[in-house]
Amino acid sequence: NLGDYASSAKYYDTYAGYAAALGFDDAVRISQAKAKEYTPKIELVAPAAYSQVNFGAKNEPEKGVRYGVTVDSTSRERLPNESMTLIYINFGDDTQLPYIRRKLEEASAKGIAVEIAWNVTGEGNEIGTVTANTGHINNVMNLLKEFPSIPIYVRFAAEVDVWTVKADPTVFRSSFAYIANTVHQNLANAAVVWSINMVSGWDVNVDEYYPGDEY
């Protein structure tokens, strides 16, 4: 409150040592984060004008961004001139597919892109069984094949860094790679998205879950 950030950083850093000696792991993390936050630093910022960089990735807009809301949003929540919508699929649940087909038809009629949020609701308990559920995977692939003109983004097993039931990183990467390969082999109009939460869990090193650029 006094604005004495340098002293705050000093004493949070000191406290971290005591917390470590007492085995208070969470307190160590918090105090270290506070010390880093309160350490004064100077940044020089200058305005710059440059063209948007385009990486040539699958379905990447040449300029600007795609934006929109989920398909189940109310009319009051909708945005003007939406260029994209998001559809959820729970992995293994084929009962949702007729509904998803109707929403894909609506997106196709509007000429907008679709993000398929293919969620693994069982989290760490389920991710290792993904590759065995070929029936469900084939059903989803066959459905998406019906819409070759839609730019599709398949966001599989998102936010693994905040799952309640943690996934083994090796198992996650293997399952993600399997889905990515399947999508790439079946859908010329689909890009695969590796999506994490903006804030990871305490004990998660998100880099361990990155499957590699090829996926």
Side-chain angles (χ1 to χ4, degrees):
N1 291 338
L2 294 172
D4 186 359
Y5 300 114
S7 293
S8 295
K10 173 185 175 183
Y11 286 108
Y12 270 117
D13 189 56
T14 301
Y15 171 71
Y18 287 98
L22 291 169
F24 297 162
D25 294 338
D26 285 357
V28 172
R29 291 173 181 267
I30 293 169
S31 56
Q32 288 176 337
K34 290 283 190 179
K36 182 177 180 180
E37 179 182 356
Y38 289 143
T39 299
K41 52 185 177 291
I42 297 174
E43 295 180 354
L44 179 63
V45 180
Y50 52 87
S51 300
Q52 176 173 327
V53 177
N54 186 286
F55 297 95
K58 176 70 70 67
N59 294 342
E60 179 185 1
E62 183 177 345
K63 292 183 178 180
V65 297
R66 301 189 192 277
Y67 70 95
V69 293
T70 59
V71 292
D72 57 356
S73 297
T74 65
S75 58
R76 197 168 67 176
E77 294 169 327
R78 303 226 72 89
L79 303 171
N81 302 315
E82 292 173 352
S83 56
M84 189 172 186
T85 191
L86 184 146
I87 303 175
Y88 289 100
I89 301 179
N90 291 330
F91 189 87
D93 185 0
D94 288 342
T95 64
Q96 302 170 294
L97 299 186
Y99 167 79
I100 293 167
R101 176 179 282 105
R102 292 196 301 272
K103 294 304 178 181
L104 286 166
E105 289 170 349
E106 293 175 9
S108 180
K110 294 177 182 177
I112 62 176
V114 171
E115 178 177 342
I116 299 295
W118 207 354
N119 290 335
V120 179
T121 56
E123 302 182 329
N125 290 332
E126 184 181 4
I127 191 69
T129 67
V130 162
T131 58
N133 201 340
T134 55
H136 171 68
I137 294 171
N138 289 337
N139 288 340
V140 173
M141 291 298 103
N142 289 333
L143 172 58
L144 298 182
K145 282 179 183 178
E146 297 177 23
F147 302 90
S149 63
I150 298 178
I152 293 176
Y153 302 81
V154 178
R155 190 189 78 181
F156 176 69
E159 301 189 350
V160 64
D161 53 327
V162 293
W163 282 1
T164 301
V165 181
K166 290 183 182 179
D168 179 287
T170 301
V171 173
F172 177 87
R173 293 196 306 268
S174 176
S175 297
F176 191 98
Y178 179 86
I179 293 295
N181 286 333
T182 302
V183 171
H184 293 152
Q185 291 164 7
N186 285 273
L187 304 170
N189 59 317
V192 178
V193 180
W194 179 73
S195 176
I196 57 172
N197 192 282
M198 60 184 177
V199 180
S200 295
W202 276 122
D203 301 312
V204 174
N205 178 359
V206 73
D207 292 340
E208 294 180 351
Y209 292 95
Y210 184 61
D213 291 354
E214 63 271 33
Y215 301 112

